[in-house]
Amino acid sequence: MQRGDNTLLITGGTRSIGRGRAERFHALGNRAIITARRQELLDDMATAHSGMIRIRADLRDAQSRAALYAQLPTITPSVNLLINNAGFESLLPGSTDFAVSRDIIKTNILSVLELRSRRAASSGISAHGSCGCSRSATLPHE
């Protein structure tokens, strides 16, 4: 991957590691498309970083993921780097909250698999050339 002139889709791009990555790649001359659940955080990023593209998406929700996939081709012909920061880990040893477990699986695993499998031109994820994928994670804490 070249240093600049890339198109990146950065999920969870408004906080913590995702925000840092979005800001850094954008500063290097890349086209950053960020997603997040909270519109106000997306708006803050757009205000702070002119030209950064933002899409509100909740990766736990199948309809929201589908809307994201449908919207990508209207924004860019291809994405050559997917950086998946959206995700969480809140289960502590001994937890039996299966609703939380399902949300973790949808956000941390299913959304990444879907984005990677939708590399066809219709989804805006590069179907040819190089398309990298990076996944960040945070550890749970009590």
Side-chain angles (χ1 to χ4, degrees):
M1 185 179 96
Q2 58 209 23
R3 184 178 169 114
D5 201 29
N6 297 290
T7 300
L8 301 93
L9 174 61
I10 305 170
T11 66
T14 59
R15 297 177 59 204
S16 191
I17 296 169
R19 182 181 180 118
R21 285 179 156 188
E23 290 172 336
R24 180 70 176 141
F25 279 110
H26 184 68
L28 289 171
N30 296 289
R31 185 174 194 198
I33 303 168
I34 60 171
T35 71
R37 289 178 293 157
R38 294 176 47 198
Q39 187 64 49
E40 67 273 12
L41 295 178
L42 288 165
D43 293 342
D44 289 346
M45 285 291 282
T47 300
H49 305 285
S50 178
M52 195 175 283
I53 300 164
R54 62 203 189 281
I55 301 172
R56 187 176 177 284
D58 183 347
L59 299 182
R60 296 173 298 182
D61 180 72
Q63 288 180 329
S64 185
R65 290 192 308 270
L68 169 62
Y69 310 144
Q71 193 172 357
L72 278 176
T74 68
I75 295 169
T76 184
S78 68
V79 171
N80 64 315
L81 181 60
L82 164 62
I83 300 177
N84 188 51
N85 293 286
F88 64 100
E89 176 62 66
S90 62
L91 289 182
L92 297 172
S95 174
T96 57
D97 188 344
F98 295 108
V100 172
S101 297
R102 282 188 288 279
D103 282 347
I104 290 171
I105 291 166
K106 290 175 193 172
T107 305
N108 297 5
I109 300 169
L110 185 60
S111 67
V112 176
L113 293 174
E114 284 181 355
L115 282 167
R116 290 290 291 167
S117 69
R118 291 177 181 261
R119 291 180 66 190
S122 63
S123 72
I125 303 291
S126 180
H128 55 281
S130 65
C131 180
C133 183
S134 171
R135 171 74 179 109
S136 297
T138 2
L139 297 175
H141 57 294
E142 295 184 38

